[in-house]
Amino acid sequence: MWIEQVTTKSGEIRYKYCERYQCPYSGKTKRVSLTYSSNSKQTQKLALIALMDKINKATNTDLHNDITLATIIKEYLDSKRGFRKASTQYSMDNLYKTLIQWFPEDILLSKLTTYIIQTTFDNFARKYSYNYTKAGLSLVRQSLKYARRMDYISNISFIDNVELQRPVTDVDRIKRQREKFLTKAELKDVLQQLDTIHHHVSLLCEFQSLTGLRFGEMVALRNQDYDSTTMEIDINGTISSSGSFKDPKMRLPPKNVYSIRKVRLDKRANQILNYFITAKKARRLWKSKFEDNDYIFVTDGGLPYDLHYVNKILKKLNFHKHISTHTFRHTHISLLAESNVPLKAIMERVGHNEPRTTLAVYTHVTDEMKKEMNLAINSIGKVISNK
């Protein structure tokens, strides 16, 4: 260490304590320095300790030993911020907050083992769904891959040995899966109940059941997305469910490339859409504070309807099934399947890119299809008996 005396612009004397070291990355000789107002023996000792600390931090290639798993996951999520949809990032942030509580507190990256991760997710799976647990493990895996790319850790093979435990299929689980849609009679009942609670929400849900749109796609519809001549709507965006609707950035690209599509409206869906267009024009005239935008499905204040608000209204229903806005999308798929519409045509209408996604919704057998099956079975029996 050596000391250089310097004079500031104000004429004061300062002492710069300097030291050299070799950079482990470039091999070049570099210099670190600290400036103090004193040149006493005590200050020299303090400066030497501080300089050595700076050099150790600059040359230590094993800093990952002091990094916690929580820090790595947070750093990974931050690296993706701005490259994901706001709604996706919001969900990932919430998953991180939930997930990190299940790991040993402040566990270091260097202390992770297959045993720790496996037992953590075994416990996690006992409280949360398989898909949510799978998403949590995926987040940890992607964070570890990020840590390896950033040279925080060299070996992450321990994550490859982790296996998720699939829940045992029981009767209640199967029943819940079948309750993701409504029959025609149930749909009529629900919409009638909704109409007495909130007329506009009832119309929104009816529109979903007639078109199969995701809620975000529906409230993202603008005047320019509607062709009254062909009675078609152009699905080219979605509204995020988190943030301020006044922010133009809330309107995002659709879920995937297959979600960009045109959807034909029937007479009733066309009527509902025009009702909202007319109602908006009227509100604009008599409302002093009204957000002027191109959206069609808006509240009295001129902003798009909020997903959380609509789901809150749905909770007021006196109904034997759990209902959310997505129930009406599933119902549309189910009704199309019941009408024997080809799988490919349904996929294109609702914006699915994989058959299994659509099949997961409508592979159940509706009451109407059961009746048709029974008639077919009886017909087969008659044919056989006649022979």
Side-chain angles (χ1 to χ4, degrees):
M1 181 183 74
W2 74 93
I3 305 171
E4 298 176 356
Q5 182 175 310
V6 294
T7 304
T8 65
K9 292 182 179 180
S10 59
E12 297 180 3
I13 302 297
R14 292 285 186 271
Y15 300 93
K16 182 180 288 187
Y17 295 81
C18 310
E19 187 58 274
R20 292 188 180 90
Y21 70 95
Q22 188 177 39
C23 176
Y25 300 105
S26 64
K28 296 180 179 179
T29 300
K30 294 188 176 183
R31 190 178 84 160
V32 289
S33 64
L34 292 167
T35 302
Y36 293 92
S37 58
S38 172
N39 189 23
S40 66
K41 293 292 184 182
Q42 184 178 4
T43 303
Q44 290 178 20
K45 290 180 180 180
L46 291 173
L48 180 60
I49 294 172
L51 285 173
M52 289 301 101
D53 184 56
K54 290 188 71 173
I55 291 173
N56 286 335
K57 288 181 178 179
T59 58
N60 187 2
T61 57
D62 294 320
L63 289 177
H64 63 268
N65 289 326
D66 298 322
I67 295 179
T68 64
L69 175 63
T71 301
I72 285 298
I73 298 178
K74 185 69 167 60
E75 188 173 318
Y76 165 70
L77 289 175
D78 288 341
S79 72
K80 295 295 184 180
R81 209 172 298 277
F83 296 95
R84 284 193 179 117
K85 291 182 181 179
S87 56
T88 303
Q89 191 66 44
Y90 178 78
S91 298
M92 297 297 285
D93 288 340
N94 282 336
L95 175 58
Y96 158 75
K97 293 175 183 177
T98 303
L99 180 63
I100 207 63
Q101 296 175 8
W102 289 78
F103 279 92
E105 187 177 1
D106 296 330
I107 185 167
L108 298 176
L109 187 64
S110 58
K111 300 299 182 182
L112 282 177
T113 62
T114 300
Y115 175 80
I116 291 174
I117 299 176
Q118 183 70 67
T119 54
T120 297
F121 278 102
D122 284 347
N123 293 327
F124 192 85
R126 291 187 178 95
K127 181 174 182 180
Y128 298 102
S129 69
Y130 175 78
N131 287 336
Y132 194 65
T133 305
K134 185 178 179 181
L137 179 58
S138 176
L139 177 56
V140 171
R141 181 178 283 111
Q142 293 303 318
S143 299
L144 289 176
K145 287 182 178 179
Y146 167 82
R148 184 175 59 188
R149 289 197 302 272
M150 302 304 291
D151 288 332
Y152 289 129
I153 190 171
S154 58
N155 183 13
I156 62 170
S157 60
F158 53 84
I159 191 69
D160 297 330
N161 297 321
V162 177
E163 292 184 354
L164 288 188
Q165 306 297 326
R166 281 189 174 274
V168 177
T169 301
D170 54 31
V171 175
D172 290 336
R173 187 181 299 275
I174 294 173
K175 286 182 177 179
R176 285 196 298 271
Q177 290 174 347
R178 289 178 176 174
E179 288 183 351
K180 291 182 178 180
F181 72 98
L182 303 172
T183 64
K184 291 177 182 177
E186 288 174 334
L187 176 61
K188 185 176 181 180
D189 181 19
V190 167
L191 292 178
Q192 287 177 345
Q193 284 192 49
L194 266 179
D195 193 53
T196 62
I197 300 172
H198 197 300
H199 179 60
H200 285 170
V201 169
S202 174
L203 292 177
L204 287 174
C205 294
E206 185 179 356
F207 189 83
Q208 267 193 286
S209 68
L210 293 169
T211 60
L213 299 187
R214 300 176 179 91
F215 187 87
E217 294 173 340
M218 177 175 65
V219 293
L221 286 174
R222 305 162 299 179
N223 293 322
Q224 58 264 41
D225 300 325
Y226 169 54
D227 189 333
S228 59
T229 304
T230 61
M231 289 176 59
E232 283 186 334
I233 49 177
D234 184 9
I235 311 303
N236 54 55
T238 186
I239 294 288
S240 174
S241 59
S242 60
S244 172
F245 289 135
K246 294 182 180 181
D247 186 355
K249 294 180 181 178
M250 289 292 288
R251 192 177 195 277
L252 305 168
K255 188 174 182 179
N256 52 54
V257 65
Y258 301 94
S259 299
I260 303 173
R261 63 198 189 279
K262 289 191 177 182
V263 174
R264 178 72 179 236
L265 304 178
D266 71 340
K267 185 177 179 180
R268 175 57 180 164
N270 193 63
Q271 184 182 15
I272 294 173
L273 189 141
N274 277 286
Y275 170 85
F276 276 93
I277 291 176
T278 304
K280 181 180 177 180
K281 290 179 181 178
R283 291 192 195 105
R284 187 182 284 115
L285 293 175
W286 59 269
K287 277 282 199 179
S288 58
K289 292 183 179 180
F290 189 83
E291 292 293 329
D292 201 1
N293 52 57
D294 293 327
Y295 294 120
I296 296 174
F297 296 101
V298 296
T299 63
D300 288 343
L303 293 173
Y305 274 89
D306 177 36
L307 171 68
H308 305 295
Y309 172 75
V310 173
N311 279 328
K312 188 176 180 181
I313 295 294
L314 292 175
K315 289 182 179 179
K316 297 181 180 180
L317 290 169
N318 180 21
F319 202 70
H320 64 280
K321 291 182 179 180
H322 170 73
I323 297 178
S324 68
T325 58
H326 221 61
T327 303
F328 300 99
R329 174 172 163 84
H330 289 172
T331 297
H332 182 72
I333 295 172
S334 175
L335 294 175
L336 291 179
E338 183 179 307
S339 300
N340 296 313
V341 176
L343 174 63
K344 182 64 176 176
I346 297 178
M347 290 174 58
E348 290 178 357
R349 181 168 175 83
V350 300
H352 281 165
N353 62 324
E354 293 183 1
R356 64 181 181 183
T357 309
T358 316
L359 284 168
V361 178
Y362 81 81
T363 47
H364 56 261
V365 182
T366 66
D367 289 338
E368 290 298 322
M369 293 175 77
K370 283 181 180 179
K371 291 177 183 178
E372 291 182 9
M373 181 178 65
N374 290 335
L375 289 173
I377 291 172
N378 290 333
S379 298
I380 293 171
K382 288 179 182 179
V383 171
I384 294 172
S385 61
N386 288 336
K387 286 184 179 180

